[in-house]
Amino acid sequence: MESPTPADPSELEELYRLLAAVRQLDTAAVRWQRQGIIPGYAPLLGQEAAQVGSGYAVDPTRDFLFPTYRELGVARAVGVDMVEYMATHKATWHGGLYNPATTHFAPIQAVVGGSVLHAVGWAHGQRLAGPGEDGYNVALSYFGDGASSQGDVHEAMNFAAVMKAPVIFFVQNNGWAISVPTERQVAGGSVAARAAGYGMPSLSVDGNDVTAVLEATRQALAHCRDGGGPIVIEARTYRLGPHSTSDDPGRYRSLDEEQSARRSDPLAACEALLRTRFGTPDSFFAGALAAAEAEAEAVRQGLEGLAPRPGSEMFDFVFQEPTPALKAQAAAWRTESEHV
């Protein structure tokens, strides 16, 4: 779908501030990993518009978002505390220290395609509960073009379509399934085209255009709220950095390709629109950058201040009712720990 022309600069300025904040946090997180502050991280450089535009569209007081391990931009857009979010990347807490029940942002999911099943399950519950005054609450599930080939994703899409679950399948097609290009692992080259096989509509959008992503997500939300069932959004973007901080993209793609993709930088595109359409001055962009840098520094300090969690917690969240074997393991651990 084409990008809408914004009539008011205020919303676009807010989106730019979010893009700038996410860019700074993301690039800082890579530095933190190199400095040993966090052990690992999955960068999103180049995908900021897809994440900010979609996250900005939802109502986190009623809708529920189900991320993978790369949705820092979505988390920031819906107001998740960034220190609590980054706790997982510091290996302080599994899934994030934030409260999913209050943020409506599910725990960070490392299993490829796993969050899609959770999203459909939650959406099916909303369908069974029935619509409210403003229609159904909606689940928004994030995954990549690589994950779209997982069997779990196909089963989730089929179930959602049969049950008319109010869920948006939001695919960030960043061109690479780790080291495998999209054309070698997605038949036909389009994830959105698969929606027709499940009898659901789809939207294909420029994932580097934050206003286009925002409009597409709003359209998808309206479709789900009205009882239309699931829908697929494919945001076509590009992963400018590595798959993770342990990856070397130079082994499977060329520098020329990366430099060509940088010409579609989502932050630069939003800046250009503000300047050409609304004459936004340099002072605005300087202020947005300064605020983003200050936020990243505050998050770094918060991360370094996180203390290790009590070791006993490893037994507390395995089962709702602990089994005899788990109780025995916990008792043995306590006994051994007294001598450490």
Side-chain angles (χ1 to χ4, degrees), residues 112 143-150 171-172 174 176-178 185-186 191:
V112 177
F143 55 102
D145 50 300
S148 73
S149 297
Q150 293 279 43
V171 185
Q172 293 175 83
N174 64 18
W176 292 92
I178 305 183
Q185 62 89 30
V186 176
V191 181

Side-chain angles (χ1 to χ4, degrees), residues 2 17 47 80 135 144 158 170 187 208 255 305:
E2 295 183 358
R17 292 189 191 97
Q47 298 179 220
V80 175
N158 186 66
F170 193 93
N208 298 322
L255 182 60

Side-chain angles (χ1 to χ4, degrees), residues 11-320:
E11 184 173 75
L12 190 59
E13 287 173 355
E14 187 173 357
L15 288 167
Y16 183 85
R17 292 189 191 97
L18 282 170
L19 290 170
V22 171
R23 173 66 59 88
Q24 287 299 315
L25 285 167
D26 180 64
T27 54
V30 175
R31 295 197 302 271
W32 299 337
Q33 191 278 329
R34 304 309 190 210
Q35 295 163 1
I37 298 174
I38 57 177
Y41 179 69
L44 62 96
L45 184 66
Q47 298 179 220
E48 295 92 346
Q51 297 198 10
V52 167
S54 58
Y56 187 84
V58 305
D59 180 352
T61 66
R62 60 179 301 194
D63 303 320
F64 218 114
L65 300 100
F66 294 83
T68 71
Y69 44 77
R70 203 187 301 276
E71 270 69 62
L72 178 148
V74 181
R76 177 62 179 81
V78 298
V80 175
D81 182 277
M82 285 291 99
V83 175
E84 295 179 350
Y85 175 89
M86 290 297 298
T88 290
H89 296 292
K90 192 179 178 180
T92 300
W93 186 255
H94 178 70
L97 278 169
Y98 58 88
N99 185 347
T102 56
T103 61
H104 279 209
F105 191 84
I108 295 170
Q109 173 63 265
V111 176
V112 177
S115 58
V116 182
L117 298 169
H118 301 162
V120 171
W122 186 87
H124 181 50
Q126 299 303 302
R127 179 70 177 179
L128 293 176
E133 292 184 3
D134 297 323
Y136 288 99
N137 301 332
V138 180
L140 185 52
S141 173
Y142 289 89
F143 55 102
D145 50 300
S148 73
S149 297
Q150 293 279 43
D152 284 351
V153 173
H154 291 285
E155 293 176 15
M157 285 186 171
N158 186 66
F159 183 92
V162 170
M163 298 298 179
K164 296 189 74 67
V167 55
I168 299 171
F169 296 104
F170 193 93
V171 185
Q172 293 175 83
N173 187 343
N174 64 18
W176 292 92
I178 305 183
S179 59
V180 180
T182 301
E183 60 269 19
R184 286 181 53 195
Q185 62 89 30
V186 176
S190 170
V191 181
R194 293 177 174 172
Y198 301 105
M200 70 176 81
S202 65
L203 296 169
S204 183
V205 63
D206 180 356
N208 298 322
D209 184 336
V210 69
T211 59
V213 175
L214 175 61
E215 178 61 22
T217 310
R218 284 173 170 167
Q219 287 186 25
L221 285 165
H223 168 85
C224 292
R225 294 206 198 286
D226 290 342
I231 185 171
V232 173
I233 298 177
E234 181 176 17
R236 305 180 309 278
T237 180
Y238 191 88
R239 191 193 77 216
L240 290 173
H243 174 75
S244 70
T245 46
S246 61
D247 176 40
D248 177 11
R251 297 179 64 184
Y252 52 82
R253 69 188 189 196
S254 69
L255 182 60
D256 287 344
E257 179 182 337
E258 292 183 21
Q259 291 176 336
S260 177
R262 287 183 184 277
R263 290 197 286 269
S264 299
D265 181 287
L267 190 65
C270 188
E271 177 180 346
L273 182 58
L274 278 166
R275 288 185 183 278
T276 57
R277 172 71 171 158
F278 301 108
T280 305
D282 291 343
S283 58
F284 168 79
F285 299 104
L289 176 60
E293 291 175 338
E295 179 181 345
E297 173 59 18
V299 173
R300 182 193 66 79
Q301 293 178 15
L303 265 179
E304 293 196 290
L306 286 178
R309 304 294 298 181
S312 60
E313 285 186 341
M314 75 176 88
F315 303 102
D316 294 341
F317 305 107
V318 181
F319 300 110
Q320 183 174 355

